[in-house]
Amino acid sequence: MPPSSNAPEPRPGPLAGLRIVELPAFVAAPLAGMTLAQLGAEVIRIDPLRGGMDQHRWPRTEDGASLYWASLNKGKRSVALPLDTPEGQRAAADIICAAGEGGGIVVTNLPARGLLSYDLLSARRPDLIMMRLLGNHDGSPAVDYSVNCASGFPHATGATEVPVNHVLPAWDIAAGLYLTTGLLAAERRRQATGEGQEVTLALSDVMLATVGNLGYLADVQINGVSREPVGNALYGAFGRDFATSDGRSVMVVAITTRQFDALGRATGLTGKLRLAGELVDADLTTEGGRYAARHALAAVLEPWFAARTLAEVRAAFAGSGALWGPYQTFRQLVAEDERCSPDNPMFSWIEQPGVGTYLAPGSPLSFSRDPVPPARPAPALGADTRDVLAAAGQAR
């Protein structure tokens, strides 16, 4: 068995002392656990002996090691058990229910049944908190792609009526962060009352809540409007992409009047932009007016960007207050963006066994009183099994 690489030495961070067990797969549940681990919690991931469904997901190294798995499980401890057997399930239950303040918390997006059901686990530890992710609220399965296609966003993405799936697993990411919120809310109540509880979250409800919170459900019901695709234009205000003379592209955004004025000053086109608004009878002091005039405004700005390189655009916009950013591939992000570098204190170099050395992010949160630990490597599968089982036995 490989040595324990994330043994529980005292960890800094606002969640130090919290102990969480996860039975996860794919994105949302592992992201929740990693988010908590990055804030100082001890997070123990339990997998089948040969690894879970996400053990070998892309991207991978040439040798087949999953960069996906390593990146979503940084800073955790790993336990591998025969979960398809009663013995393996009992061992997992022992770990989950081990005595100790700050423990008795489990996060999962896998079916919670048998010896790992909430009813049986809470019978052993009444203050147990189980944070469980479902697909749909009725318990039927769903994944990010099957939820996203129904959200309306693919039909509002792109420039035509053909739906476009975005590659960002937005619902999984949002669900992972909701899982952390729900867990911490339940843990706060447990501190006050001593009572545990099961908290459930449906992936499709995360989507529905978001669509509703952004006003798109109300737009249909109140206005009879379903948002249409507008390409890379910003919906309801001014913003769009522009090509530069060296073959790059930038995104420019001006939501407020102050931002629009800053764009005019940075480009020296304030007068022409105002004239363009007048020609289409648009009130450029309002977001809606700037959106209505977007084609006329873009016609003024396009030659300015087309005559300049990305470096010249960057220089002109520096300190101007205008909102903009370069379009970048993942490769360009790593090579060119100082925010994705050791200059950003969120990043640190880690040595990931089986992968190599690379720059990895820790928590994006920064606390004035609680130091947040730097990024830590993901454990090898099963690296902590012996130690964790021994500790669980001692704590019973």
Side-chain angles (χ1 to χ4, degrees):
M1 185 178 294
S4 178
S5 56
N6 287 299
E9 76 276 6
R11 297 187 183 191
L15 297 185
L18 206 60
R19 183 174 180 270
I20 297 149
V21 177
E22 62 172 32
L23 293 139
F26 301 125
V27 178
L31 175 64
M34 186 188 68
T35 299
L36 298 164
Q38 288 178 328
L39 295 178
E42 179 189 0
V43 177
I44 300 168
R45 173 172 175 145
I46 300 180
D47 281 300
L49 290 177
R50 295 186 179 181
M53 295 177 284
D54 53 358
Q55 183 71 31
H56 302 290
R57 294 195 78 194
W58 288 16
R60 298 189 296 189
T61 66
E62 292 183 359
D63 295 331
S66 173
L67 297 171
Y68 168 100
W69 196 93
S71 297
L72 271 176
N73 292 287
K74 296 190 297 291
K76 300 178 185 178
R77 306 182 77 195
S78 174
V79 170
L81 297 170
L83 294 175
D84 57 344
T85 68
E87 294 77 15
Q89 291 190 18
R90 274 194 291 271
D94 288 344
I95 295 169
I96 292 168
C97 297
E101 186 178 356
I105 304 173
V106 60
V107 179
T108 186
N109 61 328
L110 302 177
R113 54 179 176 242
L115 294 173
L116 299 178
S117 71
Y118 174 74
D119 289 342
L120 288 179
L121 290 171
S122 61
R124 291 186 55 180
R125 180 160 179 163
D127 68 345
L128 178 81
I129 294 171
M130 175 175 277
M131 187 73 236
R132 188 155 64 97
L133 179 68
L134 310 172
N136 296 300
H137 72 272
D138 62 2
S140 58
V143 295
D144 188 284
Y145 283 102
S146 67
V147 166
N148 183 61
C149 65
S151 70
F153 281 105
H155 282 279
T157 301
T160 70
E161 296 296 325
V162 177
V164 178
N165 281 336
H166 52 72
V167 298
L168 175 71
W171 311 120
D172 277 340
I173 293 169
L177 300 179
Y178 267 114
L179 289 173
T180 65
T181 303
L183 184 152
L184 293 174
E187 203 273 333
R188 185 176 188 273
R189 187 179 187 281
R190 186 175 74 174
Q191 287 186 28
T193 66
E195 298 173 348
Q197 59 183 305
E198 182 179 25
V199 185
T200 59
L201 172 71
L203 185 65
S204 61
D205 282 348
V206 172
M207 175 272 287
L208 291 165
T210 302
V211 178
N213 293 341
L214 294 176
Y216 296 130
L217 297 181
D219 202 19
V220 172
Q221 297 172 83
I222 303 299
N223 300 324
V225 172
S226 182
R227 176 176 167 177
E228 297 179 348
V230 291
N232 286 335
L234 178 66
Y235 182 66
F238 182 71
R240 56 154 289 177
D241 57 316
F242 294 94
T244 64
S245 64
D246 54 349
R248 296 294 294 270
S249 294
V250 300
M251 182 69 188
V252 175
V253 178
I255 299 174
T256 68
T257 300
R258 177 177 293 182
Q259 293 163 1
F260 185 71
D261 291 344
L263 173 62
R265 290 192 300 270
T267 58
L269 296 173
T270 297
K272 291 183 178 181
L273 291 171
R274 289 177 180 169
L275 179 60
E278 294 173 1
L279 290 174
V280 296
D281 197 26
D283 181 359
L284 298 185
T285 65
T286 67
E287 291 180 34
R290 292 188 287 272
Y291 180 70
R294 64 189 184 279
H295 298 301
L297 298 175
V300 173
L301 290 164
E302 281 175 346
W304 187 90
F305 286 97
R308 289 165 175 80
T309 65
L310 176 60
E312 290 169 334
V313 171
R314 192 186 304 276
F317 277 54
S320 68
L323 297 181
W324 79 287
Y327 279 86
Q328 299 177 150
T329 64
F330 294 130
R331 186 184 302 277
Q332 290 166 335
L333 173 64
V334 171
E336 301 175 7
D337 199 322
E338 64 181 11
R339 296 170 297 183
C340 185
S341 77
D343 292 338
N344 185 338
M346 179 180 73
F347 284 96
S348 55
W349 294 100
I350 64 172
E351 176 63 35
Q352 180 62 50
V355 170
T357 302
Y358 66 98
L359 193 64
S363 174
L365 294 168
S366 178
F367 295 79
S368 63
R369 294 188 180 273
D370 292 291
V372 174
R376 294 162 56 92
L381 178 67
D384 304 282
T385 303
R386 182 182 296 130
D387 291 345
V388 171
L389 286 174
Q394 294 169 4
R396 275 185 289 176

